[in-house]
Amino acid sequence: MNKQQNNQYDTLVIGGGIAGQEAALSLADMNHKVLLVEKGLSIGGKMIQLSKVFPTLDCAACITTPKMSETARHPNITLMLNSEIDGITKNDDGDFDISVTNKPRYVIQENCTGCQECEVVCPEVRSDEYNTNLAGRKVAYIPFSLANPRIATIDRQDHSAPCINACPGGVKAYGYITLARNGQYEEAMKLHLEDIPFPGSLGRACYHPCQNACTRGMVEEPVDIRKIKRYFSDWYYEKYPQAPSVEIKEKTGKRVAVIGSGPAGITAAYHLALKGHTVTIFEAAPAAGGMLRLALPEYRAPKDVVDRDLQNITVLGVDIEVNKKITYLKSLKEQGFDAVFVGIGTHKAISSGTEGSDLRGVTDCLTFLREANIGKREDLTGKKVMVIGGGNTAIDAARTSLRLGAEKVMVVYRRSREEMPCFAPEIEEAEEEGVEIRVLRNPVQYIGENGQLTQIRLTKMQLGEKDASGRRSAEPIAGSEYTEEVDYVIEAIGLRADTSAFVGQLDLNRNGTIRTDARTLQTSVEYIFAGGDTVTGSTTLIEAAGQGKKAAFYMDKWLRGLNMHDFEEGDKLPAIDKNIVLNRFKGAKRPQVKNAVMPLAERARSWEEVEKTFTEEELKASTQRCLDCSNCRECHQCVNICPANAIDFSQKTKTLEIKAKSVVVTTGYKLFPPSAKPNYGYAKYANVIDAMQMDRLIAPTRPFNNVLRPGDGKVPDNIAYILCTGSRDSAIENGGCGSDCSNNPICSQICCMYSIKQAQLLMGALPMADITIYYMDIRAFGKGYEEFFQQTKGMGTNFVKGKVAKIRETEDGKGDLIVRYEDVTKGVVKEARHDLVVLSVGVVPNKDVPHMFKGEILELDDFSFVKQTDELVSPALTSIEGVFVAGAASGPKDIPDSILSAGCAASEVTGYLSRKEALLDDKKGRFRVMQQSTMSQSILQQ
C-alpha cells in the first residue's frame, strides 16, 4: 500500500473515483510520484455502484475494476484510503503542505486476505452504504465484493459504549453482554480474559464503574453488568474447574519479578506471561491474592473463587512464591531478573491517632479482616463493636463482626450518610443484617481499665465548607461530647502503601506512594515499574488491575528494546453521546432483574455468599435490557476467528504531514438528497426509492436475487420514474438537508440517460413490467444518446411529459403509490397508480472542497462547483496556481467526459511540473555562476 516511503510527492490527487484514478494513472505513467487520498474504504467512486453504462450498456464494473487494480498496484501511486484532507497550504517554494487525517480500519492491511471470516462471525448488522441501505452488512465487513484493495474494516464509528469507556481495566462489557445474551458464555469469559484475569472475584466484588455509566440508568435502572459477569465466570469455572492450558507461541527469554499478588500484580504478571516473558510473583503474605484474599470477606468473595481466578495466571507458567517479602530491589536484578514490577498495594492502615488507641480491643480494619480471612478469627460473641469510618472496608469489618458473634455493631462516620464513600448497596445490606449507621460522630478518646478498652468518648459533628476531596468538611460541635460503652473498636480510617523499605531505592511521593512516569509507569530506576494502589493510593480492584495491565504493556516494549513513548496503551474510544442512544430507544421501561439472596434470618451469622448467581432465565432478562449503545459491540469474535491475525483494535487515528508540488481535485459530486422534496414521500413511503438504489437493484452484484421493491420484497410490475428530482429547480429553499439541496437550477445532464438505461435493463429483467417516465424534456446530448432514447421508446417505455406534484401511498395497505401530476400536453391534472416509484435525483456540488485550502481561495462558479478559470483552452486550471480540477468536481459530467477531463488535468499538471523544474534548474544554474564569479574575483584580489 505505501510504496512511497517518504512524504514528498509530485502530485496529490483528491478522490478515488474514475476521474481520480485516470488522473493518477496518467501522471504515474509519466513517472510522477502520486498520492491518491480517498475518504472511502476503496477506490472506485460512484461508478463501481452502477449496473451498466449508457448508451452501450456495457458492465460498469467490468470497465472500472481493471482500472482500480492498475491504480492500486502502480509503483508510482500511493493510496491513502479512509482519509480526509484537513488542510492544504501553499508554502514559500510554491509547493503544498498538506495535512491528512488517516482513520484506522482496525485491520492490519498487510495481513488481511479478504477471506470474510470476520464478517461471518460478527453479530451486528448495519445498513450497507454500497447497496444504498437497501440491504444489511456487518460491522466487520469488506466494503463490497469488488473492493480494491479487498481489505476488511471494523466500523467502530469513533466511539465505544459508555460501559466500555468507563472501565479502568479496559474490559469490553458491551461485548460480553452481547455474547452472554447469545448464550456464548465461554466466548464471554475469553473476552474478559483478554483484559483482566480474575472475573470470578470481580463478578462479586467489583464496584462496576461500567454499570454506573450505563445509558439504561437514564431510563430507569442500569443493566446489572457485574452479575452478568458473575454468571458466565461461574459457568466457565464449573465447566473448567482446572484452567485450560494456554499456548505461549513466543518465548522472549526475559525474566520479570512481580512484587505483590494483588489485583495489580497478578494482572501485570498475566499480561507479561502472555507476551512470552518468564514471570515470578513474590508475595509477603502466606497466601496469594492480595486484597482479594486478605480484605474481602468470605461471604462476598469465597476463597475457592479467588483460588480459581489465580489459576488463570499460574496456568501460563507464572510462579508464585508466598511468605517472600522483598525489601532490597537490587537483589532481584542480581538474581537475573530483567525487569521488576512493584504492586504491593496499600496494606498499611492509617491510625486516627485518638488517645487510647494502644488499648487492647482497638485494632485496625486490615489486621481484623486479614485474621478473619486467613488467620485466627476474633471471638466477638456477645460484644458491642464499633467501627470508625465510612468506606467499603468499614462496612466489610462491620458485617464480619456480626458473623464473629457480636451482639451489636455500630458504624460511626464523621460526615453525613450522603458523604459515605462506601458502595450504597453494601450499606443497605449491612443495615438489613442489623448494623447501625451513626453519622456526624467522631471519636475523641478511647477509655479503658487495666489496658483493656471499656468505653469510647465521641463528639457530634457538623458539616462545613467543601474540602480538597470535594466533600463538606466535618467540624466538631463544641460541648457535644458524650461517652458510650464499647467492647471492641475497629478503625477503618484509610489505607496507605507501606513503601518505607524502598526509601533511597526509588523516588517516592510525600504520601509514600511510588513516583512513576504517568504514561509508562516506569519508576526512577529504569528497569523497575510500579502500579496499582502503591502508585495511586487506595482505589478499587478494577482500577488497580488496570494499572497492572498498563504497566505490563510498557514493560513489554521496554524489554524488547523499543521506545515506549512510540506506543499508546489501550484501545478505548470516546463514549457515544447517550442522548443519541436515548433518542432512538422506543422500548418500554423494564427495571433491573432482582436475583435471589440468602434469607435475612440466616445470613447475618453465616459465611456463605449473601448474593446468589443469576439463573439463566434471569441472565437472559438482564442482558435483554442492554440498549446496544455503540456501533461495534467489541465482542472480538472477529479477532478470534481471523486466520491471519489481522484484526487490531489498538489502531489509532493519525495525522500525517505531506508535501506535494501540485494538487488535482477530483472530488466528484454529491447526489441530491430526495428527502428534500417531502411531497415525493422519500423515506416516508418504503416503495419510493432513488435512482442509485435502483441501479443497485438491477446490478449484477445486486443485494437480492431479483428486482424486489423494499417495502415487502414483491417483484414490481408497474414502475415510475420522476426525472429532474432536485435539479433544474430554483424553488427549493431548504428541505432539512442544509445548503446541499437549496436551489439547484442547473441541469444535471446524466439523469435522463441513466433513467433510460435503467428502463431498458428493467424491461430485460422484468419483461412483463410497465415502465413510465415522467419528464419535462429529455437531454440526449452525447454520441448515440438520442438513438438510445428512441430505442427505449420503441421498446415500450411510456414517456409522459408532465410535472409531478405529489406522491401518496394507497389506503388499501398494499404499499402501492399514487402519482399526482400535470399532463403538460393536455393541460390537465391526472393521477396514476404504480407499485414502485424511482426518483431520478440530480447532481449537487461537493461544497467541502474549498475548505480544504488554507491561505488561498479556491474559487467556485455560480453553481458552487470548482471554477475552471480557462474553460475553453485549459479547462483543468483553477484560481490557485498548481491546483487543477478534473471530473465532476467542476460540474456535472458523464463517465467519458470525466475520463477526458482527467487526462486533460494530467497533461496540465505535467506541463506545470516541467516548467517548475526548469525554473528551479535555471535558479540553480545562476547560483552556480554567481558562486564561480565570486571565487574568481577572490583569487584575482589575492
Side-chain angles (χ1 to χ4, degrees):
M1 293 294 298
N2 293 313
K3 308 178 188 82
Q4 180 82 356
Q5 293 303 312
N6 58 43
N7 66 343
Q8 305 218 8
Y9 299 88
D10 294 322
T11 305
L12 164 70
V13 176
I14 309 173
I18 187 64
Q21 294 173 69
E22 182 69 24
L25 283 169
S26 297
L27 287 164
D29 285 342
M30 290 184 278
N31 208 31
H32 293 299
K33 303 300 181 183
V34 180
L35 173 67
L36 195 159
V37 174
E38 164 59 42
K39 67 180 180 181
L41 297 166
S42 168
I43 53 176
K46 291 184 175 63
M47 184 175 176
I48 194 63
Q49 291 180 277
L50 302 179
S51 52
K52 308 276 187 177
V53 296
F54 56 80
T56 60
L57 296 187
D58 290 325
C59 169
C62 300
I63 297 170
T64 194
T65 50
K67 195 172 292 290
M68 290 165 62
S69 296
E70 190 180 355
T71 303
R73 289 161 176 76
H74 201 294
N76 288 335
I77 298 176
T78 298
L79 294 185
M80 192 177 290
L81 304 175
N82 204 23
S83 301
E84 295 189 17
I85 304 293
D86 295 324
I88 301 174
T89 306
K90 201 168 190 179
N91 58 35
D92 294 338
D93 296 329
D95 295 340
F96 296 92
D97 296 324
I98 303 142
S99 179
V100 184
T101 294
N102 178 233
K103 296 182 179 179
R105 298 179 82 118
Y106 305 106
V107 171
I108 302 170
Q109 299 187 25
E110 295 76 12
N111 291 10
C112 181
T113 62
C115 67
Q116 295 185 277
E117 291 286 344
C118 55
E119 263 188 66
V120 173
V121 298
C122 179
E124 195 66 61
V125 177
R126 293 289 180 262
S127 295
D128 184 3
E129 299 86 350
Y130 174 72
N131 282 311
T132 59
N133 302 324
L134 291 169
R137 52 108 173 136
K138 298 294 188 69
V139 167
Y141 73 111
I142 291 173
F144 49 92
S145 59
L146 299 174
N148 199 324
R150 185 180 164 85
I151 296 170
T153 192
I154 313 298
D155 184 16
R156 297 179 74 186
Q157 293 192 354
D158 300 324
H159 63 242
S160 282
C163 57
I164 295 176
N165 179 266
C167 180
V171 177
K172 315 299 184 291
Y174 179 29
Y176 69 63
I177 290 170
T178 296
L179 294 168
R181 183 163 59 196
N182 295 340
Q184 296 172 274
Y185 307 129
E186 186 162 342
E187 288 83 353
M189 182 65 165
K190 289 178 179 177
L191 177 64
H192 195 290
L193 290 175
E194 287 184 17
D195 296 296
I196 305 298
F198 53 98
S201 298
L202 286 175
R204 290 159 165 81
C206 185
Y207 293 117
H208 50 62
C210 55
Q211 195 165 312
N212 300 336
C214 178
T215 309
R216 185 88 201 197
M218 299 176 71
V219 178
E220 68 294 268
E221 296 174 290
V223 176
D224 214 331
I225 300 174
R226 177 182 61 81
K227 294 179 183 177
I228 293 170
K229 177 186 304 189
R230 172 170 172 168
Y231 179 90
F232 67 69
S233 61
D234 282 6
W235 181 95
Y236 185 85
Y237 286 168
E238 184 176 347
K239 181 177 181 180
Y240 300 105
Q242 299 296 319
S245 61
V246 178
E247 180 186 0
I248 307 297
K249 294 182 180 179
E250 176 199 6
K251 287 288 187 180
T252 66
K254 301 291 186 179
R255 297 180 64 208
V256 181
V258 173
I259 306 174
S261 65
I266 60 176
T267 305
Y270 176 77
H271 282 283
L272 287 164
L274 285 173
K275 292 292 185 181
H277 307 301
T278 301
V279 184
T280 302
I281 298 176
F282 298 99
E283 170 57 54
M291 288 290 188
L292 297 173
R293 187 178 300 278
L294 304 179
L296 291 179
E298 184 81 16
Y299 63 85
R300 285 186 62 201
K303 299 306 168 265
D304 61 336
V305 175
V306 176
D307 290 336
R308 179 58 186 83
D309 278 338
L310 289 170
Q311 281 190 38
N312 297 329
I313 294 92
T314 56
V315 76
L316 302 178
V318 175
D319 290 328
I320 303 178
E321 297 185 17
V322 297
N323 292 315
K324 194 71 175 283
K325 186 172 183 177
I326 303 296
T327 57
Y328 183 49
L329 298 172
K330 194 175 181 181
S331 67
L332 296 171
K333 189 72 170 176
E334 293 167 353
Q335 293 175 42
F337 288 100
D338 298 286
V340 176
F341 175 79
V342 181
I344 59 174
T346 47
H347 286 268
K348 189 167 186 177
I350 298 173
S351 172
S352 66
T354 303
E355 181 184 346
S357 58
D358 57 344
L359 291 170
R360 293 191 304 276
V362 179
T363 189
D364 67 80
C365 58
L366 274 186
T367 300
F368 176 75
L369 290 172
R370 175 189 171 113
E371 291 301 314
N373 280 313
I374 66 169
K376 181 180 179 182
R377 290 175 174 173
E378 188 81 25
D379 184 5
L380 299 178
T381 304
K383 292 185 177 181
K384 185 178 181 181
V385 177
M386 190 172 287
V387 180
I388 311 299
N392 298 307
T393 311
I395 298 300
D396 284 343
R399 297 176 71 184
T400 298
S401 298
L402 287 174
R403 286 160 175 78
L404 292 174
E407 181 180 333
K408 184 175 183 180
V409 179
M410 297 157 285
V411 171
V412 172
Y413 182 57
R414 60 183 179 146
R415 291 185 171 95
S416 70
R417 186 181 180 113
E418 288 69 31
E419 275 81 23
M420 288 183 73
C422 182
F423 188 44
E426 293 291 323
I427 300 174
E428 293 166 9
E429 289 184 8
E431 287 184 311
E432 289 172 357
E433 293 173 4
V435 174
E436 182 182 340
I437 307 294
R438 294 187 182 181
V439 295
L440 296 171
R441 302 285 189 276
N442 206 43
V444 293
Q445 183 184 8
Y446 301 131
I447 304 168
E449 294 180 5
N450 299 321
Q452 178 67 44
L453 175 73
T454 58
Q455 293 180 317
I456 184 172
R457 189 163 184 78
L458 300 161
T459 183
K460 295 180 180 180
M461 309 290 284
Q462 62 184 359
L463 295 179
E465 298 299 319
K466 289 185 178 181
D467 61 16
S469 70
R471 296 175 295 174
R472 296 172 66 186
S473 61
E475 301 169 355
I477 299 174
S480 66
E481 295 182 3
Y482 67 96
T483 302
E484 191 168 338
E485 291 186 356
V486 67
D487 301 304
Y488 200 79
V489 166
I490 304 167
E491 287 193 337
I493 308 301
L495 306 172
R496 63 183 177 87
D498 185 5
T499 56
S500 56
F502 302 144
V503 173
Q505 300 185 65
L506 297 174
D507 288 352
L508 304 178
N509 296 308
R510 293 181 63 183
N511 64 356
T513 55
I514 297 174
R515 185 175 299 163
T516 64
D517 180 278
R519 180 174 185 175
T520 66
L521 298 182
Q522 188 178 39
T523 69
S524 55
V525 177
E526 183 185 27
Y527 64 88
I528 300 177
F529 293 71
D533 291 3
T534 192
V535 168
T536 61
S538 186
T539 55
T540 62
L541 301 176
I542 190 62
E543 287 175 286
Q547 285 256 305
K549 176 186 170 187
K550 179 179 180 179
F553 176 85
Y554 288 109
M555 290 178 75
D556 174 63
K557 304 304 178 191
W558 185 85
L559 286 163
R560 294 176 188 272
L562 301 172
N563 184 348
M564 295 182 291
H565 292 277
D566 288 342
F567 300 90
E568 184 178 348
E569 186 266 340
D571 54 14
K572 280 187 182 180
L573 293 174
I576 189 173
D577 182 348
K578 293 182 181 180
N579 290 318
I580 295 174
V581 181
L582 294 172
N583 288 338
R584 72 184 183 221
F585 172 63
K586 306 298 180 186
K589 290 188 175 183
R590 295 167 62 186
Q592 266 186 356
V593 178
K594 305 300 181 187
N595 66 316
V597 295
M598 182 184 291
L600 183 60
E602 302 173 17
R603 79 184 196 213
R605 304 295 177 180
S606 172
W607 292 99
E608 291 185 25
E609 283 191 89
V610 171
E611 182 182 86
K612 303 301 181 183
T613 304
F614 271 151
T615 64
E616 188 167 25
E617 184 178 350
E618 290 169 337
L619 172 93
K620 295 293 186 185
S622 188
T623 55
Q624 290 294 338
R625 296 181 65 245
C626 176
L627 297 181
D628 296 319
C629 293
S630 60
N631 200 60
C632 173
R633 300 185 181 192
E634 300 185 47
C635 62
H636 285 200
Q637 294 306 285
C638 54
V639 177
N640 298 331
I641 198 68
C642 180
N645 295 318
I647 311 297
D648 180 9
F649 274 79
S650 69
Q651 289 183 354
K652 307 291 191 297
T653 297
K654 298 177 182 177
T655 299
L656 306 174
E657 300 301 326
I658 308 294
K659 291 185 181 296
K661 297 175 183 177
S662 58
V663 177
V664 181
V665 177
T666 61
T667 49
Y669 57 80
K670 293 183 179 180
L671 290 173
F672 175 83
S675 55
K677 298 277 287 184
N679 50 317
Y680 286 175
Y682 185 85
K684 181 179 181 181
Y685 307 130
N687 295 319
V688 177
I689 64 175
D690 66 32
M692 183 59 85
Q693 289 176 305
M694 177 53 82
D695 240 311
R696 292 307 308 141
L697 287 174
I698 57 179
T701 55
R702 60 187 170 220
F704 312 118
N705 290 330
N706 205 340
V707 179
L708 307 175
R709 69 177 192 173
D712 52 12
K714 171 191 169 186
V715 176
D717 54 24
N718 192 337
I719 303 169
Y721 279 81
I722 300 176
L723 301 193
C724 299
T725 300
S727 60
R728 302 173 67 186
D729 193 341
S730 299
I732 307 169
E733 287 303 325
N734 193 334
C737 55
S739 61
D740 279 351
C741 58
S742 178
N743 298 335
N744 191 30
I746 64 170
C747 173
S748 295
Q749 299 188 22
I750 59 175
C751 313
C752 299
M753 298 312 297
Y754 73 56
S755 301
I756 292 170
K757 171 199 75 175
Q758 290 181 7
Q760 283 208 21
L761 294 174
L762 281 167
M763 284 187 282
L766 305 173
M768 303 304 294
D770 294 324
I771 314 293
T772 301
I773 296 179
Y774 295 93
Y775 73 102
M776 290 304 295
D777 54 48
I778 297 294
R779 178 160 185 162
F781 62 91
K783 181 181 179 181
Y785 287 11
E786 177 65 27
E787 293 84 352
F788 191 57
F789 166 47
Q790 295 299 336
Q791 182 187 57
T792 308
K793 270 179 131 179
M795 291 173 67
T797 298
N798 181 28
F799 285 83
V800 175
K801 191 174 178 66
K803 190 170 182 63
V804 174
K806 188 177 182 180
I807 300 171
R808 71 176 192 275
E809 203 168 56
T810 58
E811 297 178 357
D812 56 11
K814 293 183 178 180
D816 291 346
L817 302 153
I818 303 296
V819 174
R820 184 177 178 84
Y821 66 99
E822 178 190 2
D823 187 333
V824 176
T825 59
K826 298 179 180 178
V828 295
V829 175
K830 296 182 178 180
E831 289 187 344
R833 181 170 180 147
H834 303 278
D835 54 11
L836 182 65
V837 172
V838 183
L839 304 180
S840 299
V841 293
V843 168
V844 294
N846 185 344
K847 296 183 180 180
D848 300 330
V849 178
H851 304 299
M852 298 178 185
F853 293 87
K854 314 298 180 185
E856 300 267 349
I857 296 175
L858 184 69
E859 293 183 10
L860 305 180
D861 64 19
D862 294 339
F863 307 113
S864 297
F865 288 94
V866 176
K867 184 177 181 179
Q868 298 165 286
T869 56
D870 189 0
E871 187 172 357
L872 295 178
V873 179
S874 300
L877 297 184
T878 70
S879 59
I880 303 176
E881 186 181 15
V883 177
F884 303 84
V885 65
S890 61
K893 290 180 180 64
D894 59 13
I895 291 168
D897 281 352
S898 294
I899 294 172
L900 283 172
S901 71
C904 174
S907 176
E908 294 279 1
V909 170
T910 300
Y912 171 78
L913 293 175
S914 297
R915 292 191 299 273
K916 193 176 177 69
E917 190 67 28
L919 183 62
L920 182 61
D921 288 343
D922 183 54
K923 286 181 179 179
K924 288 179 179 177
R926 281 185 284 162
F927 180 71
R928 283 195 295 268
V929 169
M930 289 174 62
Q931 277 186 319
Q932 291 170 359
S933 176
T934 303
M935 289 174 63
S936 298
Q937 289 178 9
S938 176
I939 292 169
L940 288 171
Q941 288 173 358
Q942 290 178 7

